Amino acid sequence: MRKQLQALRDAMARHTIDACLIPTADFHGSEYVGRHFACREYISGFTGSAGTLLVFPQWAGLWTDGRYFLQAEEQLEGTGIRLMQMGQPGVPTLESFLRSSLQADQTFAFDGRCVDARTARRYHTIAKQVGARINLALDLPGEIWMGRPPRSAQPVWALSTQLAGESRQDKLARVREAMAAEGADQLLLTSLEDIAWLLNLRGDDVACTPVFLAYLALTQESCHLFAQPSAFSPALLDQLDEDGIFLRPYEEIYRYANQLHPQQTVMLDTRRVNATLLTSIPTKVKVIDRPNPTEAMKAIKNPTEQANFRKAHLADGIALTRFMYWLKTNAGKAPITERSAAHVLEDFRRQDETYLQPSFDPILAAGPHSAVVHYSATEESDAPIQAEGFLLADTGGHYTTGTTDCTRTYALGPLNSQQKACYTAVLRGNLNLAAALFKEGCTGSNLDYLARQPLWAMGLDFNHGTGHGVGYLLSVHEGPQRIHWHAASTREAPLAPGMVTSDEPGVYFDGAYGIRLENLLLCVEEEPSPFGSFLSFETLTLTPFDLDAVEPTLMSPQERALLNTYHARVYEAIAPHLPPEEAAWLREATRPLP
C-alpha cells in the first residue's frame, strides 16, 4: 500500500470522515492541472490526466476512462487501489457506487473548490437519499502533503489584437450583450481558458496550457479580475486599467460572491463553477445556470485566428515532416529511444521563431506501448526504437499563431498483412471524415460513423472520441463540440464554421501495437444550396501519412484520390521549406497511389 494512501486514511480518521473523494481538478474545472493541484496523483501514483479517487477506510478505487486502462493498471499495482474501468460491463459508475456504499450517519468529504457545482449537487442528492452528510470544507490531501508545490504565479502576458483578431473591449461588449439577453446583472467566470480568451491574456500556470489562475466577475459597468498580483507587470496593469479591468486578489472571489446583492441576477455555468463558490452566493440572489457565453464565442475562430491557424500548421508541418525523414532514415542505424525521439521533434519545432511550447506532453510509443492510448514515456519505461513495427507519435505545439495536435503512426520495418489492413482502415476513416459534406446543424455524433465504419466493418473499434475542439493558443482540448458516436447530452453543440476539431480514429491491440492518425479540421461554409446551408472541412495539418503502412487494394478509388490530393497539398506546402535531400524524399513519401 502507498504510504500516502495510509496517511490520507489517518487524516480521515482525525476528522471523522468515512469517505473521501479526490478528483483530478483545480479550482477552475481545468482538464490539465498545475503541480500544486496534483492531489490525486500524489495519493494514488497514477499520472494520467483524467481520473477520480474514492477512499474508504478499508477500500479505495480509481475511476478512469478507456484512454488510461493499461497505464492505470500498471501504475496502481501494489498500491491497494482498485482500478475501476469506466464504461466497462460490471463496473459501476462512481455515483452508483457511492449510493450503494455510503451509509446513514456517515460523512462524505471532498474539497468543494475542486468539484464543480453540478457534480456536487448530485453528491448531495446521494447523501440525502442514504442519510449521510457532506463536508466540502476540507483539503485532506493538503494536510498530509509535505513539500507540496506552491500555487503557480507565472508572468501573465498580453496577446495582441493583431494575433487575436478582436480587442478585449469588443469581446467584453459581446459578452455583456449575451448577459443582457439572459437578464443577468453579473457573470461569474471561473474557466481559465474563457478568462484568457476574453481578456486577450495568456500565462503559464498550467503545464502545456498557456493560461493563468484567475476568476472574473463581469457587470455592465465593471470587470473584476481576481488573480495573483505578482503575475502582472506594471505596464500590463496599466493596459487593463485603461480597458476598465480591475485586478483584485485571487482569494477574494469568495468574499465578493458572498456580498452580492439579493436583488441581483447572477449568470454562471454550474459545470465549471466550483461548489464552494456557488455556496458562497447568498441564497436570495437569483442564479441563472447557463453555459458560459464565452465558450461558444471562443470556439468560433475569427478570420484572423483562422489565418493564423494555417500559419501555425505550416510551421508544425515542416517540423513533423523533417522529423519523419529523420526517423525513417535513422531507425535501426542509431540509438534512439522514445524520449530521445521526442526531444528531436521538439528541437525541430523550436526552429520556428513563433513556437512557444508543447500543447501536451508528447506521446511517442514504440511497439506494445503504442497500444496504450495516452502512454507517456518515463525514464523507467523509455523503450528503444528499432527498425521494426510501429511508432505512434501524438504531439502538438503552441505557436503565437495557434495550437496544433497531430498523430502519425510510422512503419519502421516490415509489416504483416493484419498491420497494414488495420492502418489502412484507420487511414480510410480519417480521410472519409475529413471529406464530409453535411447540413448545417449537424453534430459530431452525426458524423462519427464516417471515421469508424472501416473499423466496424472488420469488427474493430476504438475506446475514445473521434474528435475534440482545439483552442486558439489555449487548451488543446476545447468544447463545446466533439465527435463521438455517443452523444454527450441532449444539448450537443452543432458543428459551426470557424470551429477547429480533431479527426483521430485509431485501433489498439493490448500488448501488441496501436495505430492512430490525427489531423485538425477547420469547419467551413459551402456555397448556398436550395436545400439548405451545407458545411465541410478544411484540413489544417500538413504532414504525410506513411505510405509504407498502406495497402492500396483495400481503399476505394475515391479514398485513394482523397489521399493523393492531401499528399499533393502537403508536398506543395512543405517541400519549399526543406533542404534538397529532404524535399526529394518528401516527393517519394507523397507519391500518388495508382
Side-chain angles (χ1 to χ4, degrees), residues 39 69 90 95 106 139 147 167 178 195 221 226 258 278 299 308 311 363 387 426 431 464 484 493 497:
C39 297
F69 287 168
E95 291 178 20
Q106 287 189 331
D139 176 13
S167 70
I195 294 170
E221 298 81 24
F226 300 85
N258 187 249
L278 181 63
N308 286 338
K311 295 176 183 177
I363 300 169
V426 173
L431 295 170
H464 58 74
H484 198 299

Side-chain angles (χ1 to χ4, degrees), residues 342-363:
H343 289 312
V344 169
L345 177 51
E346 178 71 4
D347 288 341
F348 280 127
R349 283 194 166 109
R350 289 196 179 279
Q351 291 179 24
D352 189 276
E353 62 182 9
T354 64
Y355 180 73
L356 298 174
Q357 63 175 336
S359 55
F360 55 96
D361 289 333
I363 300 169

Side-chain angles (χ1 to χ4, degrees), residues 222-471:
S222 65
C223 180
H224 298 274
L225 178 63
F226 300 85
Q228 300 173 100
S230 63
F232 293 77
S233 69
L236 182 54
L237 287 175
D238 288 342
Q239 292 179 28
L240 296 177
D241 187 61
E242 289 177 7
D243 290 334
I245 299 162
F246 305 103
L247 185 66
R248 301 176 63 167
Y250 178 71
E251 297 86 356
E252 205 173 284
I253 182 64
Y254 298 97
R255 186 174 67 176
Y256 178 91
N258 187 249
Q259 293 175 347
L260 289 172
H261 195 277
Q263 293 182 343
Q264 289 185 311
T265 298
V266 178
M267 181 176 170
L268 52 79
D269 187 347
T270 56
R271 300 171 305 165
R272 303 305 299 268
V273 167
N274 70 57
T276 299
L277 183 57
L278 181 63
T279 56
S280 299
I281 299 174
T283 55
K284 292 184 178 180
V285 173
K286 181 180 178 180
V287 174
I288 303 175
D289 184 7
R290 297 285 189 277
N292 293 328
T294 46
E295 181 182 38
M297 291 178 185
K298 78 178 189 299
I300 307 295
K301 278 57 181 179
N302 62 49
T304 297
E305 291 173 317
Q306 294 178 32
N308 286 338
F309 254 112
R310 296 184 185 99
K311 295 176 183 177
H313 280 83
L314 174 60
D316 209 53
I318 294 168
L320 288 164
T321 303
R322 298 199 70 189
F323 172 76
M324 181 179 178
Y325 170 79
W326 171 85
L327 180 69
K328 301 279 280 188
T329 302
N330 290 285
K333 300 176 183 176
I336 305 172
T337 69
E338 294 164 332
R339 284 159 62 93
S340 71
H343 289 312
V344 169
L345 177 51
E346 178 71 4
D347 288 341
F348 280 127
R349 283 194 166 109
R350 289 196 179 279
Q351 291 179 24
D352 189 276
E353 62 182 9
T354 64
Y355 180 73
L356 298 174
Q357 63 175 336
S359 55
F360 55 96
D361 289 333
I363 300 169
L364 276 85
H369 286 165
S370 60
V372 182
V373 177
H374 275 201
Y375 168 80
S376 182
T378 64
E379 290 185 17
E380 296 74 23
S381 70
D382 190 18
I385 295 174
Q386 309 287 1
E388 60 185 23
F390 287 122
L391 175 75
L392 188 153
D394 186 349
T395 66
H398 289 301
Y399 296 78
T400 58
T401 49
T403 297
T404 68
D405 181 4
C406 173
T407 307
R408 288 295 183 267
T409 304
Y410 303 111
L412 301 183
L415 302 178
N416 60 40
S417 58
Q418 184 208 35
Q419 290 171 315
K420 283 196 169 188
C422 289
Y423 183 99
T424 304
V426 173
L427 173 61
R428 291 170 57 212
N430 178 286
L431 295 170
N432 290 335
L433 176 57
L437 179 67
F438 53 97
K439 282 287 294 287
E440 186 175 35
C442 283
T443 65
S445 60
N446 297 134
L447 304 185
D448 184 81
Y449 178 73
L450 295 170
R452 293 184 192 258
Q453 187 277 330
L455 289 166
W456 284 359
M458 300 168 66
L460 303 174
D461 196 13
F462 52 96
N463 197 12
H464 58 74
T466 298
H468 57 81
V470 177

